[in-house]
Amino acid sequence: VGPGRGGGGAAGPGRAGADTVSTPAQGGGSAVIDMENMDDTSGSSFEDMGEMHQRMKEEEEEEAEGEAGAGEEEDGEFLGMKGLRGQLGRQVADQMWQVGKRQASKAFSLYANIDILRPYFDVEPVQVRARLLESMIPVKMINFPQKIAGELYGPLMLVFTLVAILLHGMKTSDTIIREGTLMGTAIGTCFGYWLGVSSFMYFLAYLCNAQITMVQMLSLLGYGLFGHCITLFVTYNIHFHSLFYIFWLVVGGLSTLRMVAVLVSRTVGHTQRLILCGTIAALHMLFLLYLHFAYHKVVEGILDTLEGPNMPPFQRVARDVPVVSSAVLNTTAKAIALTL
């Protein structure tokens, strides 16, 4: 070893012996590593890269979170508008439902309330009996309008009575209804005439400027069916056409004249009276004829069904006259000739 490089030699000026490390070199040389000039950060470069990567990742996450937050805000605004519209739609639908429900309940209570119909059916049986008799008595009073009962109890009962009488006539005459039933036909015929003719006559009375209401027309025509009930009840049980025509002219004519007299007293003008009264008289009398001939067999047909279809026709049969009776007749004739 050369001088001054011994194992215990002194180090250079101002430096401690630990600052330099001498290592043996191959081939007889030596190498000195200066620890002072080494980069202190060279050992932590991987840590710095990890920190940078972590920081970049956090920044990306923050950006993603920011974008997600903005998207959520936009979605929230959209959903908020949509929810507001849906809420408004529900409110409008609920309001319309409530309004319709109130109107329906009001209409139902209006038509289902019995107090509205009570004045038309609040009548005593004595009054109904008196009005039935008055419907057969025509009153000649033209200067003042005749009074018409504004109730429907009597007319409705008369229509149901006519239904029962017509059903009885249809059963006794073996009427066959191909479509429907006897009861339905009878109800449809009677109620159809009462309601239909009343409506038509009310319309005609309105055109002719007659002072009458719809309820009064229903009452007048309903009580006018009293004559029809009497006529059909008698002629359905006593099968004679001559009897029917008598009842048709007398009983049906009286009830028709009663209605005509009432309408004449409530109509102004000869032409209007002629149109109105002629129409109601023709319809009322023809309806009675229809009820008799449409749902009732003629007398010959009923007699055939009672006596049998194989009965021989009526023929004259020659009989032997006794001799005693001939001698008596000859003697009587001779005596009368001698006295003359």
Side-chain angles (χ1 to χ4, degrees):
V1 180
R5 295 199 180 201
R15 293 184 182 270
D19 292 338
T20 59
V21 178
S22 59
T23 56
Q26 295 180 0
S30 62
V32 179
I33 300 173
D34 192 357
M35 299 298 293
E36 185 179 2
N37 296 329
M38 292 183 62
D39 189 5
D40 295 335
T41 62
S42 62
S44 60
S45 60
F46 293 103
E47 296 178 1
D48 295 339
M49 293 294 294
E51 292 177 358
M52 293 175 64
H53 180 70
Q54 185 68 23
R55 191 177 299 111
M56 292 175 64
K57 188 175 181 180
E58 291 177 356
E59 291 178 355
E60 291 178 357
E61 291 179 355
E62 290 178 358
E63 291 178 357
E65 290 178 357
E67 293 177 357
E72 289 179 358
E73 291 179 358
E74 293 178 356
D75 294 339
E77 293 177 357
F78 176 73
L79 293 176
M81 292 296 295
K82 187 175 181 180
L84 182 61
R85 292 177 182 176
Q87 187 176 2
L88 290 175
R90 287 193 297 271
Q91 290 179 357
V92 172
D94 293 339
Q95 186 176 3
M96 293 178 64
W97 169 257
Q98 294 296 332
V99 171
K101 185 178 179 181
R102 285 195 298 268
Q103 292 180 354
S105 61
K106 186 184 296 184
F108 181 77
S109 62
L110 177 64
Y111 289 101
N113 193 359
I114 195 172
D115 293 334
I116 300 175
L117 300 177
R118 183 172 298 174
Y120 303 108
F121 293 91
D122 189 9
V123 61
E124 297 294 332
V126 179
Q127 296 177 348
V128 175
R129 183 180 61 188
R131 288 165 184 170
L132 288 176
L133 295 177
E134 290 176 358
S135 65
M136 302 296 297
I137 303 173
V139 179
K140 186 179 179 181
M141 185 175 65
I142 303 176
N143 297 328
F144 298 97
Q146 297 186 22
K147 185 178 179 181
I148 302 175
E151 52 94 7
L152 299 177
Y153 176 78
L156 188 62
M157 293 300 104
L158 282 173
V159 173
F160 279 118
T161 305
L162 185 61
V163 169
I165 295 173
L166 182 59
L167 186 63
H168 167 67
M170 293 166 68
K171 287 184 177 180
T172 54
S173 62
D174 296 332
T175 302
I176 299 176
I177 305 298
R178 298 185 181 275
E179 296 181 359
T181 59
L182 297 179
M183 178 66 74
T185 303
I187 292 176
T189 302
C190 297
F191 275 92
Y193 172 77
W194 182 44
L195 298 176
V197 175
S198 297
S199 302
F200 175 72
M201 291 306 302
Y202 174 72
F203 175 72
L204 194 61
Y206 175 78
L207 295 179
C208 295
N209 198 17
Q211 299 176 1
I212 191 170
T213 62
M214 184 62 187
V215 176
Q216 291 176 343
M217 181 61 72
L218 287 170
S219 178
L220 182 64
L221 187 63
Y223 277 110
L225 294 175
F226 182 56
H228 288 41
C229 293
I230 296 175
T231 303
L232 293 177
F233 180 74
V234 174
T235 56
Y236 277 172
N237 294 282
I238 302 175
H239 308 287
F240 291 105
H241 281 294
S242 58
L243 181 64
F244 166 74
Y245 286 120
I246 293 172
F247 272 83
W248 178 68
L249 289 174
V250 177
V251 181
L254 287 176
S255 62
T256 304
L257 286 177
R258 168 66 179 180
M259 293 190 298
V260 168
V262 173
L263 292 177
V264 166
S265 66
R266 290 177 171 265
T267 309
V268 179
H270 297 286
T271 305
Q272 290 83 355
R273 288 175 179 175
L274 182 61
I275 293 174
L276 194 61
C277 298
T279 304
I280 188 66
L283 290 175
H284 205 62
M285 297 297 286
L286 290 176
F287 180 65
L288 184 55
L289 287 174
Y290 170 76
L291 292 180
H292 178 75
F293 288 103
Y295 303 106
H296 188 65
K297 283 186 177 181
V298 295
V299 179
E300 291 80 7
I302 293 178
L303 292 177
D304 289 341
T305 56
L306 293 177
E307 296 177 359
N310 297 324
M311 290 291 296
F314 180 77
Q315 296 178 355
R316 293 184 178 271
V317 180
R319 296 183 299 172
D320 296 333
V321 180
V323 178
V324 177
S325 59
S326 300
V328 172
L329 289 175
N330 293 331
T331 306
T332 306
K334 291 179 181 180
I336 293 171
L338 290 175
T339 56
L340 294 175

